[in-house]
Amino acid sequence: MATSASTLGIDEHVPDATLENQKATSTAQVETNYLDVIPFPNIQPLRAAQMVASLDSKSALYGKWKIQLSGRAVRDFRQLGDRKVQKIISNKLVQLSHGHFSPDNQKRLTRREVSSNDQVPIYEAKASRDLRVVYEIALREDVDLKKDFQYIRVWGIATHAQLDDRLWSSLNKESLRRTPEYLRRIKIRSAPPKHGKEVRDVFDPAHFEHQDFDRLDMLDEDNPVRLLTDEEQLELHELISLEKWVTLSKSLLSSIAMNEDNAAHIFDVSPKEQEVIDCPSSLFLLGRSGTGKTTCMLFRLIGLECAVRQEQVDDATEVGTTSTSRTKLRQLFVTKSRVLTARVREYYQKFDATLRAGSLSPEEIKERTKRSKERKANRLVDLEDEEETGNNLPSKFGELKEEHFPLFVSFDQLCKLLEEELLFVGGPDTANVLGGEGVRTTATTESGTQFIDAEIFQSQYWPHFNRLLTKGLDAYLVFSQFGVIRGVERDLTKEEYLKVSERSHSTYREARPQIYELFLAYTRKKGECRQLDAADRARRLLRYTATLPRDLQFDFIYVDEAQDNNMADCILIRSLGRNANGFFFAGDTAQTISSSTFTFAELKASFYRAEKNEKLVNIGARKPVNPKFYNLNVNYRSHDGIVRCASSIVDLIHKYFPSSIDKLAPEKGIVLGPKPTMFAGWRSDENMEFDQFLFSHGTHAIEFGASQCIIVRTEEARDRLREKIQDAGLILTIYESKGLEFSDVLLLNFFEDSPETEGQWRLVLNGIQGKKAPKFNNSKHAAIQQELKSLYVACTRARRNVWIFDIGTKSQPMAEFLYHHGLVKLCSPNDPIPTMAQASSKEEWFEQGQNLYDQGIHKHAAFCFGKAGALWEQQFCLAYVDMKQADRIPLGEVVKRKQAYLTAAEKFVACAEEDGASKELRWTAYRKAAKCFSFVGDGRRAGLAYSSGQEFDKAVKAFLSAEAIDDIMPILSSHSAFLARGTKEDARQMGRLFYLKVGRVEAATPLFDDPDDQISFLKHWGYLSNDILQRLGRHDQIAITLEQRGDYLAAARELQRMQSEQEAEQSVQLFIKALWQSCFTDVDFSTVVGEAADTAARLSANRRDEVMVDVDFFKDAHDRAKTISFLESSLVPAPSNSAKDWFRLKCWLKTWEIPRSGNTTNAFSTMLTSVEKFCTICRRFSASNVDLDNRQLQLLLGFHRSVDHTFSVARASFHVNATSPLKLMLEEDSFKQHLSSGTFASNFGWEISSIDLRLSIRTFFARQTLDELIAFSSVVQSASFLRAPCHTFFVNGIC
């Protein structure tokens, strides 16, 4: 109990019962918090039928009989074209759904070549005079009820003349593999319950207790099924195995009405697949190629989406409740392949759109049809670009919103989002998330970062290692062992690596010491080159995801082709999930033709270990989730002839290399088919016989069709063969073919070009009892593992035929092994060569070219487009080939690499400028050219190309990198809506600084929101000057600056140049300020008064009259006659007008002179009176209670109230002539010592307290009095008839 308490952070001295209660409370609280962040925690995916039912729930159109249409039937339905005819077929299907099996609706189609009791009947229903619906009655399992129900499967819709008895007869023969009980059940007809009048020929679907009805294996050569020709078997394969069965629904009929060729419908899946989809916990799904793994993933994802929508609808319609407030599910689909990612995303979008089609209005249907046609116009959508733009992804992981889900991304794109988020969260200290300053990867592209992989290791690292260490080892297998050493969180020590279980990792077990030495050499070189591998990235990101907030994690995660990831990648993906039951990993370790040590058994064990370390598990909030294992072993792509052969190859891999592959149930096909053909006994020196095989006659090679492919081992072999056969067919390497499928595959010289010897290949002869064969040796035969996996991948590319041709004898061991087990047919030079030629139309070649382009195999896409006569697409793909070749040039060969990219860019531009291509295709070409220009650092050309390709956000970024700011301006002006917020702000900020730096301030004006924004920016960066403001026409801002500096006259004249009445009034006020201080300056008084009067004339009458009162005062202040009249008045100056009176007297005293002639006595008398009144006013302002809010006094002395009891005094020493009479005194050192700490100089003035201001005013006026008395004394002393008074007595009253 002590340990438990300590773990929970509880006082160990608490009684046990209390402890348990606290633990339960803590557990409940954590569990509640856990469920709070998982919306819809108990949601289960809707099944296909439920998805359709949820959309057709309001329709009473269909009866009790469920109807499924084959893909062929849907195509037939759509191709009818005529809406009236389609309506006839719809009505017939509705009749059948209600069980109307009249003679016209259930006529037996096939001839009775075998006993009718042994075959599944094929029926035709007469829809019109000439149209027939071809169908059968089948059984389907209801998993919940554990019952089998009858339902209708529609095989096709055809005219009477199109009915092919031979095909349906073949289908009948295939049905002989059905059990007698199955045949009995489908032939039962169940009459409906009687309610009133009996209706003839109407039946309900019968139901039975569930029973498994697997097809019977019929290997006897004389069995009727085996008597079908190869062509008949292949036709059945296409009809049965390759077709998808779609439930009749409103959404299906709507998509047919819209004539959407690319519509995708939710189709029926097998009970085993449905079990996988319904699995309530995390799971691992293993299945060989073509067994439906991706389908299970996608249908589970779609089913959950539909379930959430349905639950929200139910909540919203339930009485007394509102729509759920829980958020949308955060579902993630991730895989290594960009191509697979794009395809699955596209399938989801099609499925989702089709499911919603049944609820669309006619207008919405028209709009959908229009968009469908627009999508077809852009046939060469680049999947790398599509991944970035198709999801409208943000730049950082934390910015993912509900509209981004479900999220479909490649693993590299997911890491890119995480890296950007880590950079954002970590700041400068994590500026290089991938490894610190100076670390680089092998190549950096806009779409992501390419790390050291097996191919780069083989080409750039392997040749530099000590040959004594590499002797006898395969580079790819060694690199796979590095994956074992690297682990997840740290590298294994040599001792730990040597102790790794041989059972789980048997490859090169004797060579582990030298492999570890190679690993050390690899690590040193990696460090010297400052490069990274995938493990480096995963470890760094794992440190970040360990602290990832739960609300940013995913509810359900789907990882397809999981075998392409290393274990660290899988653990990284797991760290992104917040739902222990939300993980779905699928893959096939038999398809790992690159280096990998991945197995699902290891992954499962790793997951369970991680689960037991989860906090919620440790505190008992939930039990650890042990993911379930599922195995799909029915191959829907290839028929049983190919599948059995491929399955035997997998058995060999598992027999000799059990740790490299997961053991699964034997794979099987649905329909029997022709065995692969091996051409044995053809020798390398028999050129004539080889030409006989390859060429039909003369020098013309066999014309392979668009759906056929020749597969070779290496690029060199491919190029040699291309030179020989020219354009006779499509040639791919095994690596290039991975992920593709063809009708027919010719595997050419696989064994002859193998680096392994015939002696090594003889290992497979151990599979023939009594045959002499070498004993398995782990070191000697290690490379056979990859050879067998490559052979498996090559064979499983075919749907119909596999031909294996090899010259020489190296293929003989495998031929003997396969033939012994009845898995291949042998064809010697003397046997007739099977027909391989298959003509294809230009449309078919174009479709194959499109497919290969989507797969990123551009060289071969160009070949197909050339065969189709699509010259623009061909040239575009060839330009793409040049770009990819440039990618492969070592980073050190800078000049060569740059020239290669420029060559590719020019080709893309040439394509973009060629007439005849659609605008969408031209945009694509421009975007590719832009990437090439970016790779060589030509930001401006990249920006121009991006702009032409309508990628405005990338264009701006490219222009910014080249400081091509002028090119950004049109985009900001016309296309700013297409820019990300961050991009737009970067462009505005850098553009502003750029134009300031080069002195083009006016050019930066459009980069500001408004003039005030521009002024603030200029001021912040220290660029604001009167010269710039003059060029910008900002006289108001110049006036503000001049006013702050105390130059009121210059400020007034700036505002005078502006047109509005508001600025005119402000100008007059500034003129008045200048006039108030004119007695301290040498201003041309009359000129200023005139300017003020002229400006005031622009004001409205009321405002003009108000301001002219002040202007008139200044005009009168310089009128001598009025001043003399004022002096002669016996009135004492009023306090409110003291400042004006002081100003008038100051102006008078400044201009007074001793008369040269005339009545000098009166003149002196007037002078004496003016000095007396001047001193009286000065004494009044020197009083301690002077009114500091006196507006006239503020204008006279140049101060104004700022905050509370602090006043601001303009400072005249700031670049312009001062006008404040207080400033010189405030700057005197002798005066400063009397000021308090609350008074200090500031920008454009002083901050001064009220006490200090009163002291300053008192001192100022005392000095003014003294100055005038001294001046008056000088005048008196210069007059001989007068005696000067005592200055001291006059001022102080005491001598």
Side-chain angles (χ1 to χ4, degrees):
M1 182 59 68
T3 302
S4 176
S6 176
T7 302
L8 291 170
I10 302 172
D11 189 344
E12 296 183 17
H13 300 290
V14 178
D16 288 353
T18 305
L19 269 179
E20 290 301 321
N21 290 335
Q22 289 183 352
K23 179 176 179 180
T25 302
S26 174
T27 300
Q29 181 63 46
V30 173
E31 187 168 13
T32 300
N33 295 338
Y34 168 70
L35 293 177
D36 283 344
V37 297
I38 303 178
F40 314 98
N42 300 314
I43 200 76
Q44 287 296 306
L46 293 185
R47 296 171 185 164
Q50 293 172 317
M51 286 185 251
V52 173
S54 68
L55 296 168
D56 288 348
S57 57
K58 297 181 180 180
S59 173
L61 181 65
Y62 309 114
K64 297 180 180 179
W65 285 82
K66 177 181 178 180
I67 296 182
Q68 289 188 345
L69 284 74
S70 69
R72 175 175 180 161
V74 173
R75 290 192 298 273
D76 292 342
F77 203 163
R78 183 177 288 113
Q79 289 169 3
L80 292 174
D82 190 325
R83 293 287 179 88
K84 292 182 179 180
V85 178
Q86 289 178 343
K87 184 66 175 176
I88 291 172
I89 298 297
S90 297
N91 291 336
K92 180 56 64 178
L93 293 175
V94 170
Q95 286 182 16
L96 293 176
S97 75
H98 285 280
H100 289 275
F101 294 155
S102 64
D104 278 348
N105 278 355
Q106 199 165 88
K107 179 183 177 182
R108 189 73 173 267
L109 177 64
T110 52
R111 294 192 299 268
R112 305 198 175 195
E113 299 174 0
V114 292
S115 172
S116 61
N117 292 328
D118 298 329
Q119 61 184 222
V120 176
I122 306 297
Y123 302 105
E124 60 173 297
K126 183 177 181 181
S128 67
R129 183 176 181 180
D130 195 39
L131 277 178
R132 302 291 185 270
V133 176
V134 181
Y135 69 96
E136 71 171 349
I137 305 297
L139 291 180
R140 64 179 177 86
E141 177 189 355
D142 189 307
V143 179
D144 297 326
L145 298 177
K146 294 183 171 52
K147 291 184 179 294
D148 294 331
F149 284 80
Q150 290 179 336
Y151 75 106
I152 296 171
R153 296 209 301 179
V154 178
W155 288 99
I157 300 168
T159 64
H160 194 272
Q162 291 171 336
L163 293 177
D164 186 347
D165 283 353
R166 180 184 59 80
L167 174 60
W168 308 119
S169 179
S170 299
L171 187 60
N172 257 183
K173 291 178 181 178
E174 162 63 22
S175 71
L176 291 174
R177 297 178 67 191
R178 293 294 190 177
T179 66
E181 177 60 17
Y182 179 89
L183 296 173
R184 185 189 71 82
R185 291 185 176 190
I186 66 171
K187 293 175 183 178
I188 291 175
R189 295 293 176 264
S190 176
K194 293 183 179 180
H195 298 288
K197 185 178 179 180
E198 184 176 351
V199 181
R200 294 182 57 190
D201 300 328
V202 175
F203 303 93
D204 283 349
H207 56 85
F208 316 90
E209 291 300 318
H210 171 67
Q211 181 176 333
D212 289 326
F213 293 108
D214 289 336
R215 282 178 167 82
L216 301 175
D217 286 331
M218 296 204 171
L219 303 178
D220 298 335
E221 294 296 331
D222 57 350
N223 189 279
V225 179
R226 282 291 182 184
L227 294 178
L228 293 175
T229 65
D230 286 353
E231 195 59 38
E232 288 174 330
Q233 288 183 3
L234 292 175
E235 196 166 10
L236 279 177
H237 173 57
E238 291 188 3
L239 188 65
I240 298 177
S241 302
L242 302 182
E243 291 291 8
K244 306 299 183 185
W245 294 92
V246 183
T247 300
L248 180 65
S249 65
K250 284 180 63 180
S251 60
L252 173 61
L253 296 179
S254 296
S255 70
I256 291 174
M258 287 184 283
N259 195 28
E260 288 190 324
D261 293 336
N262 63 342
H265 305 281
I266 299 296
F267 52 84
D268 199 35
V269 296
S270 69
K272 185 67 174 179
E273 290 171 300
Q274 192 62 60
E275 183 183 351
V276 171
I277 295 170
D278 292 343
C279 177
S281 71
S282 293
L283 70 140
F284 298 125
L285 177 60
L286 286 76
R288 304 303 180 209
S289 177
T291 53
K293 300 183 296 296
T294 305
T295 296
C296 289
M297 278 192 163
L298 188 54
F299 278 25
R300 181 180 174 91
L301 183 150
I302 295 173
L304 285 167
E305 291 289 315
C306 290
V308 168
R309 291 175 196 162
Q310 188 63 45
E311 184 168 325
Q312 289 173 332
V313 170
D314 293 343
D315 287 350
T317 56
E318 187 177 341
V319 177
T321 65
T322 58
S323 178
T324 179
S325 60
R326 287 176 288 182
T327 58
K328 187 176 182 180
L329 285 178
R330 291 172 66 93
Q331 298 201 82
L332 166 70
F333 177 92
V334 61
T335 184
K336 278 280 191 178
S337 168
R338 292 180 182 273
V339 175
L340 181 57
T341 300
R343 287 198 165 183
V344 173
R345 178 175 60 244
E346 182 182 10
Y347 288 150
Y348 168 78
Q349 292 168 346
K350 288 180 179 180
F351 280 129
D352 186 60
T354 305
L355 281 171
R356 297 171 185 265
S359 59
L360 297 180
S361 66
E363 293 74 19
E364 290 172 322
I365 290 175
K366 289 181 181 179
E367 181 62 25
R368 277 269 300 273
T369 304
K370 178 183 176 183
R371 289 199 303 267
S372 178
K373 292 179 180 178
E374 289 175 350
R375 284 195 299 269
K376 291 178 183 178
N378 190 16
R379 296 158 297 195
L380 299 185
V381 176
D382 190 289
L383 295 182
E384 290 185 1
D385 296 339
E386 182 73 7
E387 180 172 32
E388 297 175 10
T389 61
N391 286 338
N392 295 316
L393 290 180
S395 59
K396 296 189 288 290
F397 184 82
E399 294 176 351
L400 289 170
K401 301 292 189 299
E402 281 197 9
E403 59 266 23
H404 297 121
F405 293 96
L407 180 64
F408 299 88
V409 291
S410 68
F411 180 73
D412 284 338
Q413 184 69 16
L414 176 64
C415 289
K416 184 179 178 182
L417 290 171
L418 290 168
E419 288 161 3
E420 291 296 326
E421 182 69 21
L422 179 54
L423 178 65
F424 173 76
V425 173
D429 293 337
T430 55
N432 193 329
V433 65
L434 299 178
E437 184 179 358
V439 177
R440 63 180 175 84
T441 55
T442 58
T444 301
T445 67
E446 292 183 353
S447 58
T449 307
Q450 179 187 353
F451 295 84
I452 302 171
D453 57 16
E455 184 177 351
I456 293 168
F457 174 77
Q458 193 272 338
S459 61
Q460 299 183 21
Y461 281 74
W462 191 252
H464 299 282
F465 294 148
N466 188 328
R467 292 188 178 182
L468 294 176
L469 293 175
T470 60
K471 184 178 180 180
L473 300 179
D474 178 83
Y476 286 88
L477 291 178
V478 169
F479 192 70
S480 74
Q481 286 299 299
F482 287 179
V484 177
I485 297 173
R486 298 236 61 188
V488 177
E489 296 180 353
R490 63 174 180 84
D491 296 342
L492 300 181
T493 64
K494 184 175 182 178
E495 291 73 20
E496 290 171 331
Y497 175 56
L498 295 178
K499 293 178 182 178
V500 169
S501 169
E502 293 184 2
R503 181 177 178 182
S504 59
H505 296 287
S506 60
T507 304
Y508 286 148
R509 56 176 177 262
E510 294 89 355
R512 285 185 180 181
Q514 67 191 86
I515 289 176
Y516 200 87
E517 291 302 316
L518 288 170
F519 172 72
L520 295 178
Y522 161 75
T523 303
R524 286 193 298 270
K525 182 172 175 58
K526 181 162 66 77
E528 293 168 0
C529 296
R530 294 180 300 180
Q531 293 181 330
L532 300 168
D533 58 22
D536 293 319
R537 171 176 59 181
R539 290 176 184 176
R540 284 166 173 80
L541 290 179
L542 271 169
R543 286 197 289 270
Y544 164 65
T545 58
T547 60
L548 190 68
R550 293 190 71 85
D551 60 338
L552 293 182
Q553 294 177 319
F554 300 107
D555 301 308
F556 293 92
I557 297 178
Y558 308 83
V559 185
D560 203 1
E561 302 294 353
Q563 76 278 356
D564 293 336
N565 297 277
N566 59 43
M567 196 60 65
D569 294 339
C570 294
I571 299 302
L572 172 63
I573 293 171
R574 185 195 178 281
S575 70
L576 299 175
R578 64 187 180 191
N579 178 10
N581 288 308
F583 297 101
F584 189 155
F585 281 71
D588 175 17
T589 45
Q591 296 186 64
T592 309
I593 62 175
S594 58
S595 60
S596 175
T597 57
F598 178 97
T599 63
F600 276 91
E602 279 190 57
L603 180 62
K604 187 174 188 292
S606 177
F607 259 58
Y608 193 67
R609 286 194 299 270
E611 265 292 284
K612 293 204 297 185
N613 291 327
E614 282 283 343
K615 179 180 178 181
L616 293 171
V617 174
N618 288 333
I619 65 174
R622 63 172 176 84
K623 295 181 179 179
V625 175
N626 191 11
K628 292 188 177 181
F629 252 121
Y630 287 95
N631 170 211
L632 297 178
N633 65 337
V634 177
N635 193 306
Y636 297 100
R637 175 194 297 162
S638 304
H639 54 71
D640 203 55
I642 295 174
V643 169
R644 287 177 181 271
C645 179
S647 184
S648 70
I649 298 171
V650 171
D651 290 340
L652 287 173
I653 299 172
H654 195 269
K655 178 180 180 180
Y656 296 111
F657 311 99
S659 65
S660 70
I661 192 170
D662 294 283
K663 180 66 174 177
L664 305 180
E667 190 178 4
K668 57 186 177 182
I670 296 178
V671 177
L672 301 177
K675 302 172 185 177
T677 300
M678 286 195 74
F679 295 85
W682 298 69
R683 300 189 179 280
S684 57
D685 57 349
E686 293 174 342
N687 292 325
M688 184 179 298
E689 291 179 338
F690 179 66
D691 289 345
Q692 174 192 350
F693 165 75
L694 202 55
F695 295 88
S696 57
H697 61 276
T699 58
H700 300 288
I702 298 171
E703 279 289 333
F704 289 92
S707 62
Q708 298 177 300
C709 179
I710 303 173
I711 296 180
V712 296
R713 292 187 62 96
T714 64
E715 294 181 2
E716 293 76 13
R718 180 194 64 199
D719 295 340
R720 287 197 308 268
L721 183 60
R722 171 64 64 207
E723 185 177 350
K724 188 174 185 65
I725 70 172
Q726 299 299 312
D727 62 348
L730 185 62
I731 311 171
L732 300 177
T733 65
I734 295 174
Y735 187 81
E736 290 170 335
S737 71
K738 189 175 184 295
L740 299 174
E741 58 181 77
F742 302 92
S743 293
D744 308 316
V745 165
L746 168 61
L747 181 57
L748 191 62
N749 287 335
F750 174 85
F751 299 96
E752 184 63 24
D753 292 336
S754 169
E756 313 314 315
T757 65
E758 182 180 349
Q760 290 172 298
W761 276 110
R762 288 184 60 82
L763 173 71
V764 302
L765 295 178
N766 284 293
I768 302 176
Q769 189 173 2
K771 190 72 176 180
K772 186 177 180 180
K775 187 178 179 180
F776 175 72
N777 179 281
N778 183 272
S779 296
K780 181 179 179 181
H781 296 109
I784 292 293
Q785 173 197 146
Q786 286 301 116
E787 295 293 298
L788 291 172
K789 286 187 176 182
S790 296
L791 180 60
Y792 171 81
V793 168
C795 290
T796 53
R797 298 310 93 200
R799 294 188 298 266
R800 294 165 54 91
N801 292 299
V802 175
W803 303 302
I804 304 174
F805 181 91
D806 244 87
I807 56 176
T809 60
K810 288 171 69 172
S811 65
Q812 288 182 359
M814 183 59 74
E816 190 173 349
F817 168 80
L818 294 174
Y819 184 74
H820 174 81
H821 291 285
L823 301 173
V824 296
K825 296 182 290 188
L826 297 181
C827 180
S828 68
N830 297 323
D831 295 329
I833 297 174
T835 302
M836 297 184 182
Q838 183 184 52
S840 294
S841 65
K842 288 187 175 182
E843 290 75 15
E844 290 171 326
W845 277 110
F846 189 93
E847 183 179 355
Q848 185 65 279
Q850 176 74 67
N851 180 43
L852 293 175
Y853 176 86
D854 289 344
Q855 293 284 342
I857 311 175
H858 304 98
K859 184 173 183 178
H860 307 298
F863 170 81
C864 294
F865 285 133
K867 297 280 284 186
L871 300 182
W872 191 95
E873 287 80 0
Q874 182 185 36
Q875 293 305 311
F876 179 83
C877 288
L878 291 175
Y880 217 131
V881 171
D882 287 347
M883 184 176 75
K884 291 302 181 183
Q885 287 176 343
D887 287 342
R888 299 174 66 177
I889 297 174
L891 295 175
E893 300 180 26
V894 178
V895 176
K896 183 178 179 181
R897 186 179 174 89
K898 180 177 181 179
Q899 187 56 50
Y901 276 126
L902 289 176
T903 299
E906 295 297 343
K907 288 186 178 181
F908 280 125
V909 171
C911 289
E913 294 176 348
E914 188 174 323
D915 294 333
S918 68
K919 63 180 181 181
E920 291 84 3
L921 290 176
R922 295 175 65 187
W923 291 346
T924 301
Y926 275 124
R927 293 166 188 170
K928 291 292 123 188
K931 280 195 171 184
C932 293
F933 287 131
S934 296
F935 293 153
V936 299
D938 193 338
R940 185 170 186 274
R941 294 180 73 182
L944 292 172
Y946 274 131
S947 182
S948 297
Q950 308 296 295
E951 287 276 6
F952 299 111
D953 194 79
K954 291 182 179 179
V956 169
K957 291 177 180 177
F959 285 138
L960 287 175
S961 70
E963 293 192 353
I965 307 300
D966 287 338
D967 294 307
I968 294 176
M969 300 304 287
I971 297 178
L972 291 175
S973 174
S974 304
H975 306 290
S976 62
F978 297 96
L979 303 181
R981 184 175 62 181
T983 304
K984 189 186 302 183
E985 289 306 311
D986 288 346
R988 284 158 57 95
Q989 183 75 356
M990 290 187 66
R992 295 166 179 176
L993 292 173
F994 172 80
Y995 284 127
L996 289 179
K997 184 174 68 175
V998 299
R1000 295 171 56 194
V1001 180
E1002 300 91 333
T1005 300
L1007 298 172
F1008 296 94
D1009 296 329
D1010 51 54
D1012 292 336
D1013 182 31
Q1014 186 173 15
I1015 297 303
S1016 298
F1017 184 85
L1018 292 168
K1019 185 183 296 184
H1020 174 77
W1021 290 95
Y1023 279 95
L1024 189 63
S1025 68
N1026 284 350
D1027 178 58
I1028 288 178
L1029 291 171
Q1030 287 282 5
R1031 286 155 56 188
L1032 293 173
R1034 294 304 307 273
H1035 303 291
D1036 56 333
Q1037 289 296 323
I1038 297 175
I1040 291 173
T1041 303
L1042 292 172
E1043 183 180 6
Q1044 289 175 334
R1045 295 173 180 174
D1047 194 347
Y1048 301 127
L1049 183 57
R1053 286 170 175 165
E1054 285 295 332
L1055 286 176
Q1056 194 180 34
R1057 299 169 63 178
M1058 303 188 73
Q1059 301 301 316
S1060 74
E1061 183 176 341
Q1062 181 181 358
E1063 277 83 16
E1065 184 173 354
Q1066 292 174 357
S1067 177
V1068 174
Q1069 296 297 340
L1070 288 170
F1071 276 127
I1072 290 172
K1073 285 186 177 182
L1075 288 169
W1076 269 108
Q1077 297 184 10
S1078 62
C1079 59
F1080 306 114
T1081 61
D1082 297 326
V1083 173
D1084 186 347
F1085 195 87
S1086 60
T1087 300
V1088 175
V1089 170
E1091 289 182 272
D1094 292 342
T1095 305
R1098 292 163 48 189
L1099 305 180
S1100 61
N1102 291 338
R1103 297 302 301 146
R1104 183 172 63 248
D1105 292 343
E1106 289 182 21
V1107 299
M1108 282 305 296
V1109 172
D1110 290 328
V1111 175
D1112 289 341
F1113 161 73
F1114 289 109
K1115 187 177 180 181
D1116 294 344
H1118 279 260
D1119 188 317
R1120 296 186 63 82
K1122 291 185 178 181
T1123 302
I1124 291 173
S1125 176
F1126 164 74
L1127 291 171
E1128 292 175 349
S1129 172
S1130 61
L1131 295 175
V1132 177
S1136 60
N1137 290 325
S1138 293
K1140 283 189 175 182
D1141 293 340
W1142 190 93
F1143 180 87
R1144 185 191 297 272
L1145 292 171
K1146 183 69 176 178
C1147 293
W1148 165 263
L1149 293 172
K1150 279 181 63 177
T1151 60
W1152 190 85
E1153 295 179 351
I1154 299 176
R1156 299 292 182 182
S1157 60
N1159 192 347
T1160 58
T1161 302
N1162 288 339
F1164 271 104
S1165 176
T1166 302
M1167 176 65 172
L1168 182 61
T1169 300
S1170 64
V1171 171
E1172 179 186 8
K1173 289 190 175 183
F1174 180 83
C1175 292
T1176 299
I1177 296 173
C1178 285
R1179 282 198 300 271
R1180 181 179 294 163
F1181 282 131
S1182 297
S1184 60
N1185 63 343
V1186 62
D1187 184 7
L1188 298 181
D1189 287 319
N1190 186 313
R1191 180 62 178 161
Q1192 294 178 7
L1193 181 62
Q1194 291 178 357
L1195 292 172
L1196 176 66
L1197 298 183
F1199 72 89
H1200 62 270
R1201 183 177 288 277
S1202 52
V1203 288
D1204 297 331
H1205 298 292
T1206 302
F1207 291 79
S1208 175
V1209 180
R1211 195 175 173 191
S1213 61
F1214 202 88
H1215 302 302
V1216 293
N1217 294 328
T1219 55
S1220 173
L1222 297 179
K1223 73 95 186 177
L1224 291 175
M1225 186 175 64
L1226 289 171
E1227 293 176 345
E1228 292 175 3
D1229 291 336
S1230 59
F1231 187 75
K1232 285 182 180 179
Q1233 63 185 354
H1234 299 292
L1235 300 176
S1236 67
S1237 59
T1239 297
F1240 57 89
S1242 62
N1243 291 334
F1244 307 116
W1246 281 73
E1247 296 301 319
I1248 186 170
S1249 68
S1250 58
I1251 295 175
D1252 288 342
L1253 180 59
R1254 284 191 168 90
L1255 173 63
S1256 300
I1257 292 174
R1258 190 161 58 249
T1259 303
F1260 171 78
F1261 280 110
R1263 289 183 179 184
Q1264 286 289 314
T1265 302
L1266 185 61
D1267 289 344
E1268 289 301 329
L1269 289 177
I1270 292 173
F1272 182 71
S1273 295
S1274 299
V1275 172
V1276 170
Q1277 289 174 2
S1278 65
S1280 58
F1281 60 92
L1282 290 175
R1283 181 181 178 185
C1286 176
H1287 302 162
T1288 304
F1289 178 80
F1290 191 87
V1291 173
N1292 301 319
I1294 301 174
C1295 182

